Amino acid sequence: MLNGCANLSYYAQAVNGHMDVMRRAQPISGLINNPDIDPDLKRILSQAATMRKFASEELKLPANQSYTRYADLKRPYAVWNVVAAPEFSTRLKQWCFVKAGCVSYRGFFSQARAERYADQLRAVGYDVHVGGVPAYSTLGWFSDPVLNTFIHSELELARLIFHELAHQVVYVPGDTVFNESFATLVEQEGIRRWLFHKGKPEEYDAYQARRVMQTTFNTLVLDHRARLEKLFEADISDAEKRIAKAHVFNDLRAQFALLESGRPEFGRYQQWFAKPLNNARLATVSVYTQLLPAFRALLALQDGDMARFYTVVRAIGKLPSADRADALQMALRESRQNNLAGMIMQHPQ
């Protein structure tokens, strides 16, 4: 009964939080034509309108009312997600919700509420991380607005619009890795096409460089996460595991410092290392990109046709979990074979 009351309270804050977002939303077309609106805001909202049209026409994303309105939430994030993992595991705790299925986070519209819930989890021994999130998707149930939390740059705006609209195309309840990897592929392909459409290939080169840097950072963290997983499986006492666990985190910081000393551009990750390291924080890295190579291969097999790509992904999404994984791996192998065949044709013996 207590758990049921807690869930009712949680759903109540979610409903109230979302309805507050919707109440604040105003049509972008009206704001653009309003002479009293800040010129910088007008400029970014005009970009949003153009991106929204591009998303439907060029990326074949849903042509609905999502991202045709704007809401200023008067705060830096839309929601705050709580993620948690046991003291000796990197497997994230799961929460199950109506429609969304089971996911590895619990979102709050109030940072204070999120922190209070995080404290409850810490009190029973979990490693916990609370992170601000600039946007969320209602999966097409509502017309999601553009928010002040993600209009800081052209690419951030494009990234969020393309990513969140992708969730309206395909969403598999209970499979966060599948959903986020798919949406990230749509986001990245969308940005590539958007920048070339706008005649900004040099900006795409810079974007690619940042993605390579992100991959390097992910690899560094994943290597240490693998060390933790091996440690947690070791036949040693909990006290010994705690000491070794702290050593792994210290080594991660040291290796990052060494990387940054030779490549100052990695200073953008200092903020990530400024917070305490724990299992939950490490476990969140690369969730959005784990299946990215497979989805990229799947798009290539459809010759870059977004509509065909969505049709195939929808079909795969309806398969049981194990079959979904097999289908994506098959696409990856087939794409690699096609690439190899193409190289042989270009360079015959």
Side-chain angles (χ1 to χ4, degrees), residues 114-134:
E115 294 291 356
R116 284 197 296 271
Y117 186 67
D119 287 340
Q120 294 175 24
L121 293 172
R122 292 186 186 101
V124 293
Y126 281 99
D127 280 14
V128 185
H129 171 61
V130 179
V133 181

Side-chain angles (χ1 to χ4, degrees), residues 21 23 56 87 123 233:
V21 172
R23 280 192 296 269
S56 297
E87 182 182 9
E233 293 173 357

